[in-house]
Amino acid sequence: MHIEQASESELKAQLEALYARYDQLAERKLALDLTRGKPGSAQVSLSDALDGILDGDYRAADGTDVRNYGGLDGLPEARALFGALLGTTLEETLVGGNSSLTLMYQVIDFAMNEGLRGEDTAWALNDRVKFLCPVPGYDRHFSICEYMRIEMIPVRMLDSGPDMDEVERLVQADPSIKGIWCVPRFSNPCGTVYSDDTVERIAKLPQIAGDHFIVMWDNAYAVHTLYPDAPELASISELCRKHDTMDGVFQFGSTSKITFAGAGVAFIGSSERNLSTLKAHLAFQTIGPDKVNQLRHVRFLKDAEGIAAHMERHAALIRPRFEAVLDTLERELAGSGMGEWTAPRGGYFISFDTRPGLAREVVDLAGNIGVKLTPAGATFPYGKDEADRNIRLAPTFPSEADVQASADAFVLCVKLASVKQRLAEIAA
């Protein structure tokens, strides 16, 4: 029954039953965690062959001894392998250390304080610097902006990606907007894949925005499909070449959720001119990345077909976890008016929207019985979800049994908060 069709007496009876179940769960002293999108132990074990794979052969294809200094760009074979994921050429690809977040921070820091085209182009010379942030979105993107004192402007996410009518209106009207964050395939947390039209309109943004505008294209889940029919993503590289805007886009990716989460390889793609100026900046920070790790990744993953086969093994492990959560939501909440959720075909998250005003209460209720959820508001700039609705669920790390227990407890908390709210509405 839809919650707004239930009578007051029905709701009171339901509330009593829900509290009884809630108290039972509290007595079990649960310790469950659906907070961050980490791969589980079985997933990282898929890459255990990385250890020892070099077998004493530390020579790259060009004869470079990868144990020594140098190679700021990364190994040519690593740039070729990961550039294929970005749609960039060898000259348009740089392979760094283990963290794409580090590369993103370095690009923003460089644009802010030194300028992509010299000192007089530094964003910090402006009175205000703003960034567009599709919401719900990735909290670590927002943290970079907040730390850099970049003002964030939320833009709503549609089924096709960011609301491009609003994005285009904003950048045309305000030259202090210097960029936009994008997670284009299986977005965090909604699981949205940007439509072809959206990707092309984003590729054209540098033509209509203010000076030195950049698209931060964080393609973190480029190969993280759960099902063979998962939607493909248009190549922003091809579209940028078509519209002559390669200088306005930085693409990012990593193997953090492909191989070892804490010991992977990160990479960046952009125009040759952008990478040339960025490397001059990076040269003051490092003599070169971990080329040993790059070489072992190349030998382990081999090529695009090798990556695809490896990711199919990942999908086999995490698909049941997603299905456990989605099946529970469908069985317990479909048609109830107590929530809405996404059913992604890939990525690492499920996005859940409560009735307005209940996300924080649901998170608190869950936490009080030992189920940790991502803080309400984390998917919005400054942690402020004005509607107090969105909760990000991350089912990959716990065991299947713990995922099911977490989903059951989560649904109970959603029902409890919803029924309490509805009774308050009736009383008012």
Short mmCIF file of all heavy atoms in Angstrom, two decimals, residues 117 206 213-216 240 245-250 270-271 274:
data_model
loop_
_atom_site.label_atom_id
_atom_site.label_comp_id
_atom_site.label_asym_id
_atom_site.label_seq_id
_atom_site.Cartn_x
_atom_site.Cartn_y
_atom_site.Cartn_z
N ARG A 117 48.08 28.62 -19.09
CA ARG A 117 48.75 29.30 -20.20
C ARG A 117 49.68 30.41 -19.71
O ARG A 117 49.85 31.43 -20.35
CB ARG A 117 47.70 29.89 -21.15
CG ARG A 117 46.79 28.87 -21.78
CD ARG A 117 47.53 28.01 -22.81
NE ARG A 117 46.71 26.89 -23.23
CZ ARG A 117 46.82 25.66 -22.73
NH1 ARG A 117 47.73 25.39 -21.82
NH2 ARG A 117 46.04 24.70 -23.14
N PRO A 206 33.94 24.56 -23.79
CA PRO A 206 35.02 25.56 -23.82
C PRO A 206 34.82 26.64 -24.88
O PRO A 206 35.44 27.71 -24.79
CB PRO A 206 36.26 24.70 -24.13
CG PRO A 206 35.93 23.34 -23.58
CD PRO A 206 34.47 23.17 -23.87
N PHE A 213 38.40 27.79 -19.24
CA PHE A 213 37.43 26.85 -18.67
C PHE A 213 37.89 25.43 -18.97
O PHE A 213 38.39 25.15 -20.07
CB PHE A 213 36.06 27.10 -19.31
CG PHE A 213 34.98 26.15 -18.87
CD1 PHE A 213 34.13 26.47 -17.83
CD2 PHE A 213 34.79 24.92 -19.52
CE1 PHE A 213 33.11 25.61 -17.44
CE2 PHE A 213 33.79 24.05 -19.13
CZ PHE A 213 32.95 24.40 -18.08
N ILE A 214 37.75 24.51 -18.00
CA ILE A 214 38.13 23.11 -18.23
C ILE A 214 37.04 22.15 -17.76
O ILE A 214 36.34 22.41 -16.78
CB ILE A 214 39.46 22.74 -17.55
CG1 ILE A 214 39.41 22.94 -16.04
CG2 ILE A 214 40.62 23.51 -18.17
CD1 ILE A 214 40.65 22.44 -15.32
N VAL A 215 36.93 21.07 -18.48
CA VAL A 215 36.06 19.96 -18.10
C VAL A 215 36.93 18.93 -17.39
O VAL A 215 37.92 18.45 -17.94
CB VAL A 215 35.40 19.31 -19.35
CG1 VAL A 215 34.60 18.08 -18.95
CG2 VAL A 215 34.54 20.33 -20.08
N MET A 216 36.57 18.60 -16.15
CA MET A 216 37.27 17.57 -15.38
C MET A 216 36.49 16.27 -15.56
O MET A 216 35.48 16.02 -14.88
CB MET A 216 37.37 17.98 -13.93
CG MET A 216 38.21 19.23 -13.70
SD MET A 216 39.98 18.97 -14.00
CE MET A 216 40.44 18.06 -12.51
N CYS A 240 35.96 16.31 -28.95
CA CYS A 240 36.80 17.49 -28.75
C CYS A 240 37.64 17.78 -29.99
O CYS A 240 37.87 18.95 -30.34
CB CYS A 240 37.72 17.27 -27.54
SG CYS A 240 36.87 17.42 -25.95
N THR A 245 38.48 21.46 -29.19
CA THR A 245 38.43 21.87 -27.78
C THR A 245 39.27 20.97 -26.87
O THR A 245 39.03 20.92 -25.66
CB THR A 245 36.98 21.87 -27.26
OG1 THR A 245 36.41 20.56 -27.46
CG2 THR A 245 36.13 22.91 -27.97
N MET A 246 40.25 20.26 -27.42
CA MET A 246 41.06 19.35 -26.59
C MET A 246 41.75 20.08 -25.44
O MET A 246 41.97 19.51 -24.37
CB MET A 246 42.09 18.62 -27.44
CG MET A 246 41.55 17.40 -28.16
SD MET A 246 41.05 16.04 -27.06
CE MET A 246 42.65 15.35 -26.63
N ASP A 247 42.08 21.36 -25.65
CA ASP A 247 42.72 22.13 -24.57
C ASP A 247 41.79 22.33 -23.38
O ASP A 247 42.26 22.65 -22.27
CB ASP A 247 43.15 23.52 -25.08
CG ASP A 247 44.43 23.47 -25.92
OD1 ASP A 247 45.09 22.41 -25.93
OD2 ASP A 247 44.75 24.48 -26.56
N GLY A 248 40.50 22.15 -23.58
CA GLY A 248 39.52 22.43 -22.53
C GLY A 248 39.05 21.21 -21.75
O GLY A 248 38.14 21.34 -20.93
N VAL A 249 39.67 20.06 -21.97
CA VAL A 249 39.22 18.84 -21.29
C VAL A 249 40.41 18.08 -20.73
O VAL A 249 41.42 17.87 -21.41
CB VAL A 249 38.43 17.93 -22.25
CG1 VAL A 249 38.04 16.62 -21.56
CG2 VAL A 249 37.18 18.64 -22.76
N PHE A 250 40.30 17.66 -19.47
CA PHE A 250 41.24 16.75 -18.84
C PHE A 250 40.48 15.48 -18.47
O PHE A 250 39.49 15.54 -17.74
CB PHE A 250 41.86 17.35 -17.58
CG PHE A 250 42.88 18.42 -17.84
CD1 PHE A 250 42.50 19.74 -18.01
CD2 PHE A 250 44.23 18.10 -17.91
CE1 PHE A 250 43.44 20.73 -18.25
CE2 PHE A 250 45.19 19.08 -18.15
CZ PHE A 250 44.79 20.40 -18.32
N SER A 270 44.85 14.56 -22.16
CA SER A 270 44.48 15.91 -22.55
C SER A 270 45.27 16.28 -23.80
O SER A 270 45.95 15.43 -24.38
CB SER A 270 44.75 16.91 -21.41
OG SER A 270 44.15 18.15 -21.67
N SER A 271 45.19 17.53 -24.20
CA SER A 271 45.94 17.96 -25.38
C SER A 271 47.44 17.91 -25.10
O SER A 271 47.88 17.98 -23.95
CB SER A 271 45.54 19.39 -25.77
OG SER A 271 45.97 20.31 -24.78
N ASN A 274 48.44 20.99 -23.15
CA ASN A 274 48.13 20.92 -21.72
C ASN A 274 49.12 20.05 -20.97
O ASN A 274 49.59 20.40 -19.88
CB ASN A 274 46.72 20.38 -21.52
CG ASN A 274 45.64 21.42 -21.69
OD1 ASN A 274 45.92 22.61 -21.79
ND2 ASN A 274 44.40 20.98 -21.74
#
